[in-house]
Amino acid sequence: MTVGEARPTTGTGTPPEVLDGPFSTRQLLRIDEALRLADQGTGLVFSVYVGGLDEPIREHAERLHRQLADPDRSVLIAVSPNQRQLEIVTGKYARKRIPDTYAKLAALSMVASFGGGDLAGGIIQGLDQLASHAGKG
């Protein structure tokens, strides 16, 4: 299951109150806080997608990015742990503040954390690095 997929209903016909995924409640709260700080500190809109990505991976991540409310000012981190894939997509305005070189550096840092088994920590670290590179907005 991926983040956002509900667990199958129980015998009572009532869906569970929580979603199944790779993160604990504490990790979700830390990611949410990192997203909030990145948004507030930069004036950009940061989003994280964790789940399967269709081939070609980059095109799927770009489609997800285009669906965001303000794609030009948005940064999407798309992670597919099962496929061992990571894509960072920046909108037209966001790319001026986070050039590809800096996005690649953040991606390398994230991949190092992922390799150590820390998915949430890698995402949080990546958000922090991207926001730091973007600066105040």
Side-chain angles (χ1 to χ4, degrees):
M1 273 191 179
T2 60
V3 172
E5 288 182 343
R7 292 183 188 164
T9 57
T10 59
T12 63
T14 314
E17 294 180 21
V18 296
L19 300 177
D20 194 13
F23 303 113
S24 67
T25 301
R26 185 176 198 283
Q27 289 171 322
L28 286 172
L29 290 171
R30 288 179 55 223
I31 292 169
D32 186 59
E33 177 71 3
L35 284 164
R36 187 184 63 75
L37 291 173
D39 288 356
Q40 287 179 345
T42 64
L44 300 174
V45 180
F46 288 81
S47 299
V48 174
Y49 170 85
V50 178
L53 293 165
D54 298 332
E55 294 287 342
I57 301 293
R58 180 67 185 185
E59 287 180 19
H60 186 185
E62 289 172 347
R63 277 194 315 273
L64 291 170
H65 181 265
R66 284 191 301 270
Q67 293 174 8
L68 297 173
D70 188 2
D72 285 345
R73 300 183 63 80
S74 296
V75 178
L76 172 68
I77 298 173
V79 182
S80 178
N82 293 338
Q83 294 168 290
R84 303 177 79 83
Q85 295 289 326
L86 166 67
E87 291 289 341
I88 298 174
V89 183
T90 53
K92 187 167 57 172
Y93 176 75
R95 191 173 303 114
K96 292 177 184 175
R97 300 196 30 217
I98 306 172
D100 288 346
T101 304
Y102 292 117
K104 288 177 185 176
L105 289 173
L108 287 172
S109 172
M110 293 171 70
V111 167
S113 292
F114 298 163
D118 189 6
L119 183 61
I123 291 169
I124 292 165
Q125 184 174 2
L127 285 165
D128 182 59
Q129 288 181 348
L130 292 167
S132 293
H133 289 303
K136 301 273 184 209

